[in-house]
Amino acid sequence: MDFRYTPEQAELKARAAAYSQRLMRYENESEEAGGPLPAETVRTLTREAIDAGVFAINMPVEWGGAGLSLLDQVIVEEEFGKVTNCLWDIPWRPANVLAYGTEAQREKYLLPVIRGERFDAFAVTEPGAGSDAGSGTSTADPVPGGWLLNGEKWFVTCGDVADFLLVQADAGPDRQPTLFFVDKQAPGVRMTRVPRFMHSAVNGHPEFVLQDVFVPDEDVLGGVGNGYELTKEWFTDERLMIAARTTGAAERALELARDWAVERRQFGSRIADFQLIQGMLADCAVDIAVNRAYTHQVAWEVSQGTA
Ligand SMILES: Cc1cc2nc3c(=O)[nH]c(=O)nc-3n(C[C@H](O)[C@H](O)[C@H](O)COP(=O)(O)OP(=O)(O)OC[C@H]3O[C@@H](n4cnc5c(N)ncnc54)[C@H](O)[C@@H]3O)c2cc1C
């Protein structure tokens, strides 16, 4: 079995690394601002990501995305992960399940996201529904021409900058889990809080309350009753990409630790000369190699259709 990157993958990795270096210039600014960057900076970095072919990497070329396989996406996301402050949110990754929209939904919602003009966020989690994401209590009651949504959503990553949300709610008397496109400006949508997290992130994870929010029938994604299946598909994809980013983050941290161990002197020698320090650095290198290999294997299996 050949584990080497193809020439195309090596070029892709170098391109993603070059773009990540661009993002790194804004780490301190984002840290000091406690999160957001000026809108003009975000627009510039968005344009550069599109030009570098690292924007909407999970969407087909014919719709304007980069059209990468899952394995190639993992290679890119690993480079993004080396950047702090979640600045990797800027080269946007539309929710994968947006690809299941109707042609009209694609025109209205997905294509503007791929062009960097609008942004989406996914709203599943609730105060009482975390790991058990199918246990939400948000409801969608049928009314003429559509649905009335009620509920509360938490941890909506990038919900503060998003233009629309994909909201999971139980539809009708049979409580069928369903995904709805909800415009953030729609009457009845309130962003109630943007809680502080332990990390500094360029975008937040706000909470929303939905009160009698009208959603027309044409804004149901993937059909009534299919919401939980789509949510699982989104979570699987997102969590795989988190695995890739954490590998990149760990590698950057290890490089910094190695450089410091070589530079720092104590007891008359470099601390890198102490066996215990060497052992810790070696353990980190092994953990990173294992995690990279496993993440690549899972992505490769999915790309081959064997997972
Ligand atoms: C940074 C961040 C971003 C997020 N972004 C989004 C988003 O964009 N959209 C969205 O809808 N949600 C989002 N979430 C929510 C996330 O998906 C939930 O936090 C996650 O599902 C866990 O839910 P919880 O925090 O309520 O933990 P809980 O489900 O309450 O779990 C608490 C603990 O119990 C453990 N546990 C739970 N069930 C079991 C079990 N069966 N067996 C063993 N242990 C178990 C868990 O592992 C955890 O350690 C985000 C969360 C974070 C932290």
Side-chain angles (χ1 to χ4, degrees), residues 68-87:
L68 301 186
S69 71
L70 216 54
L71 178 56
D72 289 351
Q73 291 175 43
V74 158
I75 291 170
V76 170
E77 296 279 352
E78 189 179 312
E79 292 305 318
F80 288 172
K82 293 177 181 171
V83 187
T84 65
N85 296 69
C86 301
L87 286 162

Side-chain angles (χ1 to χ4, degrees), residues 29 109 147 151-152 197 211 236:
E29 188 178 334
Y109 293 106
W147 304 83
E152 183 172 1
F197 275 57
Q211 200 173 7
T236 306

Side-chain angles (χ1 to χ4, degrees), residues 59 94-101 122 166 179 221 230-231 233-234:
M59 287 295 153
N96 60 343
V97 296
L98 287 171
Y100 295 130
F122 216 102
L166 280 174
L179 284 185
L221 177 64
L230 295 175
T231 291
E233 197 169 328
W234 173 73

Side-chain angles (χ1 to χ4, degrees), residues 121-133 153-158 197 199 205 234-235 239:
F122 216 102
V124 183
T125 303
E126 299 183 5
S131 306
D132 189 5
K153 294 293 177 183
W154 279 12
F155 295 114
V156 183
T157 296
C158 298
F197 275 57
H199 63 198
H205 310 279
W234 173 73
F235 265 125
R239 295 319 180 233

